[in-house]
Amino acid sequence: MEVLVAAIIGLLTAAGVWLTLRARSFDVIVGLSFLSYAVNVFLFASGRLAPGLPPIIDPAAAGYTDPLPQALVLTAIVISFGMTAVLVMMALGVFLRTGSDSTGPAAPDDERKEQ
Amino acid sequence: MIPYLVTPIILPAATAAVMLLVARDNLTLQRIMGLASAAGLVWLVLQFAISTLPRAEALGNWPAPFGIVLAADGLTVLMLGLVAALAVVVLLHVWANGEDKLGASFHPLFQFQLMGLNGAFLTGDAFTLFVFFEVLLIASYGLVVHGGGAERLGAGVRYVVTNLVGSTLFLIGLGVVYAVTGTLNMADLSAKVAMLPAGDAALIRVAAVMLLMVFAVKAALVPLHIWLPGTYAAAPATVAALFAVMTKVGAYAVLRFGMLVFPPGVAATGSLYADLLLPAGLLTLVVGAVGMLGARGMNRVAAYAAIASTGTLFIALSGFTAVSTSAGLYYLVHSTFAVAALFLLADLSRRRGARSGPVAVLFFLTAVAVAGMPPLSGFLGKLLILQARWDAAPVVWPVVLTTSLVMMVALSRLGSDLFWKAATPERPAPATLTAPVLLLLVLVAMTVFAGPVGIALDGVAAALHDPVDYIATVEALK
């Protein structure tokens, strides 16, 4: 199971990095989502993988899994959800105003305008 | 009675909520409430400063390594004071130049920004530090694009994407730290990292470097500085002035982790932070100074000045001795106010017309402070840093001195461009000089009272280098 989880984290991260580097807003947003999925699974694994064990006190339980990473993942999910929403709105704003969905470096024209 | 440590977080959060509920359409009321909240923060910081430090509080009364802890030592109070003072000045300037009329919700976002900054400085828990980083970032996303426009939005998207990747790295780093040590409380981490078996040393070093990279993104250390010039130059001037303190959040986090969690004495990490930070700091200073020379427009020059100040700051901090940290803290306070003043003057020179005499005088004084010329505090700060980094003099001295010359040339050229050749202002509008004058007065005070300020900062640095009191205070919350 460790191999499976590690491979999934690696695959999600690779996909996320590749998409983020494409520097177009849709790809970047999907890429950042992949990265945040990878992080969530990784955080989950940081409390050690213990399938089928409860995180809260239960007299019938044979053992427990660490509840803290689950709380951390919950926080991380909420934050990344909010951040993605903000990014989608801002990227849409840029696209509607300029017709460009590039998230790469500003064109030289932009710098001239600042003068 | 000394107020609770949580009040600097609750006050701006509550102010922002009340603003949204009762003062949605009343800008004057929002301005008064914002200033009242900032003034309240100044009062709170003064209360903390005269109380016995360090102090700690368990949120919700959960015992120490398991619950979330707030802790304040000298460094925390210094940073809180920096934020509160800058907030008052920036809000005064916003009132004068009316930048808050450009779009909705400037003042609530500003308060949430203060809440995030205060929380990041107060928390004693690594994961809560991540949460407050996100709070201050999401408020800053709103502030960067305040007033709208395609250029601002484009810069805003690049800023958000960079920081989201940074947040991802932060979480991975924290995950590794938790997997290796089983705790995220910083005082507890200090004990656990020191006791790690040799087999886990490689893992904790990876985590340490990942966290350092996150803080380097926040502090805009080369090569992770690329997001800064575009964002700061495109953001409204008052927002950019407040952001002068944002890069210092990264410096604060590096100091906190470098002193408490991965101090130079720990076998697993050793001098890892010092070895990485010195070259990064030197490179950042060079890139910042050359950037100032190459930049066109005052906003961009100010943005590169922010990068150069980060470089100088990290050259000091990478010494990891009490003397160098104290010099770094002096420069940290100085550079925050100096760079903020430069951003505010960029705004004023655009509004009042470039031939305005008072603006030119203020620009000259600020340029003296930013470049580090006598008699203002920039000179003293650089002198202290040169003295403290005598151990690395062959690399530090030539770089700091040469870049100072380059910065002087860049600022003189900017000054002559602005005040001798300039045409009519874009949008002539009234704006008072109060805010930059206040910032310059702080710099003058820092120069005149350099002795007492230095002694106080020596105390803060000594406590950072020997954090037994801090750890004992947090552990007493069991």
Side-chain angles (χ1 to χ4, degrees):
Chain A
M1 190 162 98
E2 278 84 358
V3 176
L4 185 66
V5 172
I8 287 172
I9 296 172
L11 196 68
L12 285 171
T13 312
V17 170
W18 188 74
L19 282 169
T20 308
L21 290 178
R22 291 193 23 114
R24 315 204 64 125
S25 45
F26 181 74
D27 302 32
V28 167
I29 291 166
V30 175
L32 285 170
S33 308
F34 272 124
L35 276 179
S36 72
Y37 294 150
V39 166
N40 293 342
V41 180
F42 179 79
L43 276 182
F44 211 66
S46 72
R48 305 293 182 269
L49 298 168
L53 296 178
I56 46 171
I57 299 212
D58 175 5
Y64 296 103
T65 182
D66 189 344
L68 189 77
Q70 309 198 2
L72 300 187
V73 170
L74 192 61
T75 314
I77 289 174
V78 174
I79 290 178
S80 72
F81 178 73
M83 293 293 176
T84 310
V86 172
L87 184 57
V88 167
M89 290 314 294
M90 286 172 65
L92 261 179
V94 175
F95 179 67
L96 293 178
R97 268 157 221 252
T98 63
S100 154
D101 67 345
S102 163
T103 59
D109 303 19
D110 293 358
E111 289 192 24
R112 214 170 299 137
K113 257 182 264 156
E114 276 163 33
Q115 267 300 89
Chain B
M1 201 205 117
I2 309 157
Y4 288 115
L5 283 181
V6 77
T7 38
I9 304 173
I10 292 181
L11 176 67
T15 310
V18 173
M19 264 181 200
L20 285 172
L21 285 174
V22 305
R24 261 201 109 99
D25 305 315
N26 190 340
L27 194 60
T28 318
L29 192 57
Q30 286 191 8
R31 286 168 169 177
I32 293 170
M33 287 169 77
L35 263 175
S37 155
L41 289 178
V42 172
W43 180 79
L44 282 173
V45 171
L46 290 176
Q47 293 295 308
F48 292 152
I50 55 170
S51 67
T52 38
L53 296 169
R55 289 173 58 203
E57 256 168 36
L59 288 187
N61 230 0
W62 290 86
F66 309 110
I68 293 169
V69 169
L70 295 184
D73 62 353
L75 179 64
T76 307
V77 174
L78 176 72
M79 300 303 289
L80 289 178
L82 202 59
V83 169
L86 194 61
V88 170
V89 174
V90 168
L91 284 174
L92 282 176
H93 191 77
V94 164
W95 198 327
N97 80 356
E99 223 162 28
D100 49 356
K101 289 182 202 146
L102 294 177
S105 307
F106 177 90
H107 287 282
L109 282 169
F110 196 93
Q111 294 297 319
F112 280 126
Q113 176 85 64
L114 295 182
M115 170 204 173
L117 285 164
N118 289 346
F121 295 138
L122 275 166
T123 181
D125 180 279
F127 196 81
T128 316
L129 181 67
F130 163 76
V131 174
F132 278 116
F133 265 32
E134 298 304 306
V135 172
L136 72 89
L137 283 174
I138 203 154
S140 75
Y141 300 159
L143 287 175
V144 162
V145 299
H146 175 76
E151 187 209 329
R152 234 168 235 174
L153 271 172
V157 167
R158 286 187 283 279
Y159 173 66
V160 176
V161 169
T162 318
N163 277 299
L164 283 183
V165 174
S167 305
T168 309
L169 264 180
F170 201 169
L171 280 174
I172 296 175
L174 288 179
V176 176
V177 167
Y178 184 73
V180 176
T181 63
T183 183
L184 287 169
N185 179 296
M186 290 198 262
D188 199 28
L189 271 176
S190 175
K192 296 273 161 60
V193 170
M195 290 189 306
L196 277 185
D200 285 341
L203 267 178
I204 202 74
R205 285 173 76 91
V206 170
V209 172
M210 278 187 168
L211 293 176
L212 185 63
M213 276 173 69
V214 178
F215 305 147
V217 170
K218 300 281 178 291
L221 267 181
V222 171
L224 301 169
H225 70 291
I226 31 171
W227 59 273
L228 191 143
T231 311
Y232 279 32
T238 38
V239 172
L242 177 72
F243 282 12
V245 81
M246 292 268 285
T247 52
K248 273 49 182 192
V249 180
Y252 164 83
V254 167
L255 262 179
R256 188 59 87 205
F257 272 79
M259 300 291 176
L260 197 58
V261 182
F262 309 116
V266 166
T269 48
S271 61
L272 182 67
Y273 271 26
D275 295 346
L276 289 171
L277 284 178
L278 181 59
L282 291 168
L283 207 59
T284 309
L285 179 53
V286 171
V287 168
V290 173
M292 280 171 80
L293 198 59
R296 286 190 295 171
M298 191 158 166
N299 276 349
R300 242 167 217 279
V301 173
Y304 277 102
I307 293 181
S309 78
T310 300
T312 319
L313 175 59
F314 275 92
I315 289 172
L317 297 186
S318 66
F320 280 95
T321 60
V323 181
S324 67
T325 306
S326 168
L329 291 177
Y330 185 88
Y331 192 79
L332 186 151
V333 177
H334 152 81
S335 64
T336 307
F337 290 126
V339 170
L342 203 54
F343 276 115
L344 292 185
L345 285 170
D347 180 55
L348 278 177
S349 77
R350 216 173 31 231
R351 279 168 201 280
R352 303 210 9 162
R355 279 166 196 274
S356 159
V359 176
V361 171
L362 287 176
F363 171 80
F364 175 70
L365 291 174
T366 311
V368 163
V370 169
M373 290 296 105
L376 284 178
S377 49
F379 173 70
L380 285 177
K382 281 196 177 172
L383 200 64
L384 286 170
I385 290 172
L386 289 180
Q387 228 171 18
R389 294 314 314 269
W390 182 246
D391 54 316
V395 278
V396 169
W397 283 50
V399 172
V400 171
L401 294 175
T402 317
T403 50
S404 296
L405 179 68
V406 174
M407 282 157 80
M408 266 167 69
V409 173
L411 289 166
S412 336
R413 200 193 59 173
L414 177 68
S416 43
D417 264 0
L418 274 178
F419 300 109
W420 285 341
K421 296 191 210 164
T424 49
E426 275 172 38
R427 313 161 266 184
T432 63
L433 301 169
T434 323
V437 168
L438 280 174
L439 289 176
L440 280 169
L441 282 178
V442 173
L443 295 184
V444 171
M446 276 186 73
T447 320
V448 175
F449 301 107
V453 170
I455 292 168
L457 292 178
D458 281 344
V460 172
L464 272 177
H465 279 271
D466 188 20
V468 276
D469 278 353
Y470 182 94
I471 294 168
T473 316
V474 172
E475 280 181 347
L477 292 173
K478 264 171 197 159

